[in-house]
């Protein structure tokens, strides 16, 4: 195990990591306690307290990290609401990052919905009102000339950053446009999962809020709002701003992967396609969601016996996420022997207005390849009856859209219907798994976007796999870090999906199509090794890969206290 990935001698302005994994710092007294990467609270040893000027600033008892975790968990449990639990954890993160990540790692299944979806959405709505401590960088479309200076102010060198998560907050977790607080909150939340689930060093990441304004009138008229008070900038000025960000980030941190999060449908795909061939970049909403659904789909294929090339897929909700998933399912069908045109024709995109057809005037560019011939038309039920799909995918956020009529019509045409209602939160899910099991007499193969308790039907207990991106993107990111990959390729995404799917035995009655989230570190390590091997096979790795399994383990940051010594860093 590794206490961190930072190279010995690399520095923040006031502390540096040493070869033994400890820190040397020029900070003294209260300044040490105010630095969350150094602060150990009551765990500072008597020698450290004397050397760092902490005598008298802490209670006399020296505690272990385990003792601190027990107290912190009790304090967490005492919070009366999920939002206040989120606030408590963020305050802990601001004070002591090691303790925060140890607590989070020990209770990841319980706390993941608190630090990320869905509770982080509540926290984002109150960001300006609850503003406490800045995290990362805030880049303004009104001052693109300041981007490089903002990064320089972090005090990081070109080899000090592995991962940068950026968001312009236009489409935050189903709640829409939440301006600068959305961008800052979602980027920081995503990075917390990267660290907790895959051991990405929290000292080697940067959350970025791309503040391009907001169209949220409530924010624009809120006197406490801390972001730009104007409508969202679009068009050429927006593109120039994103270009300036990418140029500065890749120039200053050439080894970092750039992760895009919660961009609107008019920008997400366009940005990803623009930069994919040029830099190491990744969009979780499109690629991560597509890969985790593919992982579940590969399990369903094993159970149903219908190969990918013979699947007929109806996608209900044909926006950025839905079509992003469609792309990866199409690519999987191509790897199973179909040409691109034939594979594309085996996917039927349906939205609220019905089946998307070529004569529709308002199709987005990414929907056009999947649009059906003019006149084909029909609503979801009609399409299902006509197509007899083997798979029904829901990314619509339309609660209850998979009605009993729709599901029974599908089940009448296929032996093992594959039904993935992955919209979240629960109030937006297309159908509840208990109903799907009953309506198909236990034949449905199900994955959802929200956690679902096991369901017993006619003596069989069905474990419902959650298509949770957290099972895939942290390991993917770790694999990119270890291999120093030049880019994220379709093959690396496929390898990640296969690695996740390979962790479950889908042949057992009622078995989940996906692993449970109890041990995300194990899942992430497995995914990372697969990604590293694929990067090497495709000649995308920029470092020597002697033993991928060992190199992945050594790269995973562990939440444990390190020695802190007094000294000068410059």
């Amino acid at each position: 195990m590794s206490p961190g990935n930072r190279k010995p001698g690399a520095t923040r302005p006031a502390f540096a990591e040493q070869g033994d994994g400890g820190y040397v710092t020029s900070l003294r007294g209260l300044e040490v306690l105010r630095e969350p990467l150094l602060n150990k609270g009551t765990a500072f040893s008597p020698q450290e307290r004397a050397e760092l000027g902490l005598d008298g600033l802490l209670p006399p008892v020296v505690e272990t990290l385990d003792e601190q975790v027990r107290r912190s968990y009790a304090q967490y449990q005492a919070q009366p609401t999920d939002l206040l639990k989120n606030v408590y954890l963020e305050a802990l993160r601001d004070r002591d990052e090691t303790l925060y990540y140890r607590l989070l790692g020990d209770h990841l299944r319980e706390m993941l919905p608190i630090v990320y979806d869905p509770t982080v959405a509540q926290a984002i709505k109150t960001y300006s009102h609850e503003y406490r401590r800045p995290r990362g960088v805030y880049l303004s479309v009104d001052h693109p000339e300041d981007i490089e200076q903002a990064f320089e102010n972090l005090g990081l060198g070109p080899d000090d950053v592995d991962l940068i998560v950026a968001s312009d907050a236009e489409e935050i977790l189903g709640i829409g446009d939440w301006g600068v607080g959305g961008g800052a909150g979602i980027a920081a939340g995503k990075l917390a999962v990267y660290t907790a689930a895959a051991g990405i060093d929290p000292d080697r990441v940067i959350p970025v809020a791309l503040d391009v304004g907001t169209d949220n009138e409530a924010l624009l008229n809120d006197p406490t709002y801390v972001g730009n008070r104007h409508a969202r900038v679009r068009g050429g000025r927006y593109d120039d701003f994103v270009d300036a960000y990418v140029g500065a980030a890749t120039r200053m941190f050439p080894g970092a992967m750039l992760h895009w999060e919660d961009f609107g449908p008019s920008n997400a795909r366009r940005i990803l396609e623009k930069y994919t061939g040029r830099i190491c970049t990744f969009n979780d909403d499109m690629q991560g969601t597509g890969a985790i659904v593919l992982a579940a789909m590969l399990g369903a294929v094993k159970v149903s016996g219908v190969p990918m090339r013979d699947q007929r897929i109806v996608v209900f909700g044909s926006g950025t996420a839905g079509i992003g998933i469609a792309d990866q399912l199409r690519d999987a069908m191509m790897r199973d022997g179909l040409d691109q045109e034939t594979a594309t024709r085996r996917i039927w995109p349906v939205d609220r207005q019905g089946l998307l057809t070529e004569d529709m005037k308002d199709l987005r560019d990414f929907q056009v390849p999947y649009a059906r011939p003019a006149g084909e038309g029909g609503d979801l039920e009609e399409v299902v009856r006509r197509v007899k799909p083997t798979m029904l995918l829901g990314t619509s956020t339309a609660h209850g859209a998979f009605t009993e009529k729709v599901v029974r019509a599908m089940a009448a045409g296929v032996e093992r219907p594959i039904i993935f209602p992955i919209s979240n939160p629960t109030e937006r899910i297309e159908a509840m798994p208990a109903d799907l099991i009953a309506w198909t007499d236990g034949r449905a193969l199900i994955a959802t976007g929200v956690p679902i308790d096991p369901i017993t039907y006619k003596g069989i207990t069905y474990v419902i796999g959650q298509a949770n991106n957290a099972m895939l993107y942290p390991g993917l990111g770790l694999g990119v870090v270890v291999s120093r990959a030049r880019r994220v390729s379709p093959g690396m995404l496929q390898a990640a999906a296969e690695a996740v799917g390979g962790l479950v035995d889908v042949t057992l009655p009622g078995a989940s199509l996906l692993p449970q989230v109890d041990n995300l570190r194990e899942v992430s390590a497995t995914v990372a090794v697969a990604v590293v091997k694929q990067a090497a096979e495709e000649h995308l790795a920029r470092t020597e890969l002697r033993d991928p399994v060992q190199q992945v383990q050594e790269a995973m940051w562990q939440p444990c206290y390190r020695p802190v010594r007094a000294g000068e860093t410059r």
Side-chain angles (χ1 to χ4, degrees):
M1 75 83 180
S2 169
N5 299 330
R6 180 178 292 277
K7 295 181 178 179
T11 62
R12 293 273 188 172
F15 62 93
E17 186 171 325
Q18 302 298 287
D20 63 355
Y23 289 108
V24 61
T25 181
S26 60
L27 301 177
R28 298 293 184 272
L30 291 175
E31 291 180 326
V32 176
L33 302 181
R34 290 174 182 144
E35 173 49 63
L37 286 166
L38 294 181
N39 184 27
K40 299 193 282 187
T42 54
F44 279 109
S45 70
Q47 180 181 345
E48 288 172 326
R49 296 181 188 208
E51 196 173 320
L52 297 169
L54 298 176
D55 282 335
L57 301 183
L58 294 166
V61 172
V62 176
E63 294 185 303
T64 66
L65 179 56
D66 287 341
E67 289 171 326
Q68 291 179 321
V69 168
R70 285 195 290 271
R71 179 191 297 113
S72 298
Y73 186 54
Q75 292 171 344
Y76 167 86
Q77 289 182 304
Q79 305 305 311
T81 68
D82 286 350
L83 181 57
L84 288 176
K85 287 178 178 178
N86 175 277
V87 171
Y88 170 80
L89 289 173
E90 286 301 300
L92 179 60
R93 187 180 183 185
D94 290 344
R95 185 174 74 249
D96 183 338
E97 286 211 15
T98 300
L99 177 55
Y100 166 82
Y101 281 113
R102 172 62 187 277
L103 177 65
L104 181 57
D106 284 357
H107 303 278
L108 194 53
R109 183 184 181 94
E110 176 185 354
M111 293 182 178
L112 193 61
I114 303 298
V115 300
Y116 199 63
D117 186 22
T119 308
V120 73
Q122 300 177 49
I124 283 169
K125 289 182 178 181
T126 62
Y127 182 86
S128 293
H129 293 261
E130 301 290 343
Y131 179 80
R132 295 178 298 277
R133 180 181 184 271
R135 190 178 298 278
V137 297
Y138 300 76
L139 306 180
S140 171
V141 71
D142 299 330
H143 298 285
E145 70 280 3
D146 294 340
I147 291 175
E148 191 161 326
Q149 183 62 58
F151 282 124
E152 286 180 357
N153 290 342
L154 292 172
L156 297 167
D159 296 325
D160 293 345
V161 179
D162 294 324
L163 177 63
I164 304 175
V165 176
S167 177
D168 75 351
E170 187 172 5
E171 288 289 340
I172 295 290
L173 296 174
I175 62 173
D177 179 350
W178 280 89
V180 71
I186 208 67
K190 206 77 176 183
L191 286 169
V193 180
Y194 266 115
T195 296
I200 299 292
D201 190 339
D203 197 19
R204 296 181 59 84
V205 303
I206 306 174
V208 175
L210 297 174
D211 189 352
V212 298
T214 178
D215 291 338
N216 186 327
E217 291 289 347
L219 293 179
L220 292 174
N221 290 284
D222 183 347
T224 69
Y225 181 57
V226 296
N228 286 327
R229 290 179 179 275
H230 57 67
R232 275 189 175 269
V233 171
R234 304 184 186 277
R237 188 176 161 210
Y238 176 94
D239 290 344
D240 290 344
F241 176 58
V242 173
D243 259 336
Y245 156 66
V246 171
T250 55
R251 183 171 57 254
M252 298 177 71
F253 312 112
M257 181 176 82
L258 270 55
H259 174 135
W260 309 92
E261 187 69 23
D262 287 351
F263 284 71
S266 63
N267 292 317
R269 176 178 289 263
R270 187 172 57 85
I271 288 173
L272 182 65
E273 290 178 347
K274 179 177 181 179
Y275 296 109
T276 289
R278 296 161 44 185
I279 63 173
C280 184
T281 190
F282 170 72
N283 183 306
D284 186 46
D285 303 303
M286 294 171 55
Q287 295 170 298
T289 303
I292 195 64
V293 170
L294 176 58
M297 183 64 173
L298 294 174
V301 165
K302 291 179 185 177
V303 178
S304 70
V306 179
M308 280 301 303
R309 62 182 176 273
D310 292 334
Q311 297 291 329
R312 299 182 303 278
I313 301 169
V314 170
V315 178
F316 183 59
S318 299
T320 302
I323 297 299
I325 296 169
D327 287 346
Q328 295 209 35
L329 296 175
R330 176 203 61 199
D331 291 348
M333 286 190 276
M334 292 168 60
R335 285 188 288 269
D336 201 30
L338 299 184
D339 60 68
Q340 182 167 336
E341 181 179 356
T342 303
T344 303
R345 292 298 92 188
R346 298 192 73 84
I347 297 173
W348 284 259
V350 182
D351 222 281
R352 295 176 188 274
Q353 67 269 43
L355 183 67
L356 301 186
T357 56
E358 295 168 345
D359 57 335
M360 291 181 171
K361 305 294 185 185
D362 56 350
L363 292 181
R364 296 188 180 276
D365 55 354
F366 57 83
Q367 295 171 328
V368 170
Y370 295 98
R372 310 301 293 189
E376 195 167 315
D379 62 14
L380 177 62
E381 183 179 346
E382 183 179 345
V383 171
V384 166
R385 291 186 184 281
R386 183 170 69 243
V387 171
K388 295 180 174 58
T390 57
M391 178 188 187
L392 181 58
L393 172 69
T395 55
S396 66
T397 70
H399 181 73
F402 293 174
T403 64
E404 183 173 355
K405 281 187 177 181
V406 168
V407 172
R408 288 192 181 278
M410 180 185 182
V414 60
E415 178 61 29
R416 297 303 302 268
I418 301 168
I419 308 177
F420 291 177
I422 66 167
S423 293
N424 61 75
T426 304
E427 56 266 26
R428 295 174 182 256
I429 194 171
E430 286 82 5
M432 294 304 294
D435 292 329
L436 297 177
I437 291 170
W439 297 337
T440 63
D441 197 28
R443 292 185 289 124
L445 299 166
I446 304 166
T448 62
V450 297
I452 298 290
D453 291 332
I455 299 161
T456 299
Y457 177 81
K458 292 187 176 180
I460 296 177
T461 298
Y462 295 83
V463 180
I464 308 301
Q466 183 186 0
N468 188 332
N469 293 19
M471 282 189 291
L472 192 136
Y473 73 80
L476 176 74
L478 179 60
V480 169
V481 169
V482 171
S483 65
R484 291 182 54 81
R486 293 184 181 87
R487 60 186 177 89
V488 177
S489 71
M492 291 161 69
L493 291 167
Q494 170 84 3
E498 291 176 350
V500 172
L503 289 171
V504 291
D505 181 359
V506 297
T507 62
L508 299 174
S512 172
L513 299 177
L514 291 166
Q516 301 301 295
V517 298
D518 298 86
N519 194 350
L520 279 182
R521 283 235 165 186
E522 176 187 341
V523 174
S524 296
T526 302
V527 170
V529 170
V531 169
V532 167
K533 290 179 177 178
Q534 186 66 28
E537 184 176 321
E538 296 182 30
H539 305 289
L540 294 173
R542 291 181 289 186
T543 191
E544 183 182 357
L545 298 170
R546 305 172 305 280
D547 184 346
V549 173
Q550 185 62 28
Q551 287 172 271
V552 164
Q553 290 301 314
E554 291 175 351
M556 295 179 76
W557 179 87
Q558 303 292 340
C560 56
Y561 285 136
R562 298 154 185 81
V564 182
R565 306 179 184 91
E568 294 301 322
T569 59
R570 296 189 186 279

